[in-house]
């Protein structure tokens, strides 16, 4: 019997939204589910998970990760149009991939940022949810999840900031942040 696909949201100002989604991807991979991770906003930064997923995909199982943004640090005002276009392009990819019905889990990492920046419209969200195959789990990450997404979700977790090393001036470290 096929899964009942869930709409899952990881939001909040604490750390762990993307890493929890990657944990789910790993768990799904271990169960032979086909997993696609599409990353909004993030650009060509070398995250450790890219290497890990490359290794997992060579085990003849379907797992893929693609970055469709220009990078978090590049959000200067002059590039708004490019950021918007990149988000729309990745959204179209997400729609095509969902339509093709080749995935059991699709993670839209940092989607909530692209949405809250106004790059993605509520109609796009509606159509994305409408074309999702019934068995496919969809995971959305990023701060400031919209009320309309939360409303439609089956599972919503808020990561709450209690302490973060940045507050002590400790910079991003390998294996922890990237
Ligand atoms: P992670 O990818 O580590 O699971 P996240 O997905 O919850 O983090 P994002 O909102 O995507 O967090 O933030 C991107 C970057 O900002 C990450 O490098 C993350 O470690 C860092 N970050 C997350 N939460 C905080 C925070 N409360 N204060 C400072 N930096 C943070
Ligand atoms: Mg994240």
């Amino acid at each position: 019997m096929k899964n009942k696909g869930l709409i899952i949201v990881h939001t909040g100002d604490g750390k762990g939204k993307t890493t929890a989604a990657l944990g789910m991807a790993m768990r799904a991979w271990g169960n032979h589910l086909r997993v696609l991770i599409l990353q909004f906003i993030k650009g060509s930064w070398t995250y450790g998970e890219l290497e890990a997923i490359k290794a997992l995909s060579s085990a003849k199982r379907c797992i893929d990760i693609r970055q469709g943004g220009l990078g978090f640090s590049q959000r200067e005002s002059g590039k708004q149009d490019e950021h918007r276009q990149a988000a729309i392009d990745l959204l179209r990819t997400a729609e095509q991939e969902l339509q093709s019905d080749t995935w059991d889990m699709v993670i839209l990492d940092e989607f909530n940022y692209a949405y809250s920046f106004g790059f993605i419209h509520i109609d796009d969200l509606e159509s994305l949810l409408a074309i999702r195959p019934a068995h496919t789990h969809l995971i959305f990450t990023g701060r400031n999840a919209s009320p309309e997404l939360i409303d439609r979700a089956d599972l919503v977790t808020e990561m709450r900031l209690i302490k973060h090393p940045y507050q002590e001036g400790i910079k991003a470290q390998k294996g922890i942040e990237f």
Side-chain angles (χ1 to χ4, degrees), residues 13-19 110 113 143 161 164 166 177:
D13 60 2
K15 175 171 161 61
K17 300 172 286 293
T18 295
T19 45
E110 317 305 352
Y113 293 100
R143 292 181 191 203
L161 173 67
H164 193 287
Y166 279 16
E177 314 293 342

Side-chain angles (χ1 to χ4, degrees), residues 1-3 5 21-22 24-38 53 56-57 59-66 97-108 132-139:
M1 205 183 77
K2 283 196 164 178
N3 292 320
L22 291 170
M24 272 190 185
M26 217 174 72
R27 184 174 271 177
W29 179 88
N31 279 297
H32 295 256
L33 300 189
R34 301 159 301 172
V35 183
L36 175 64
I37 302 158
L38 299 176
I53 286 164
L56 294 180
S57 67
K60 291 196 170 54
R61 296 202 209 158
C62 280
I63 184 161
D64 194 11
I65 184 164
R66 303 177 204 161
E97 293 294 343
L98 285 170
Q99 244 150 4
S100 73
D101 196 7
T102 31
W103 306 101
D104 302 301
M105 176 182 284
V106 176
I107 297 173
L108 302 173
R132 172 183 66 118
H135 67 91
T136 300
H137 301 299
L138 258 188
I139 306 177

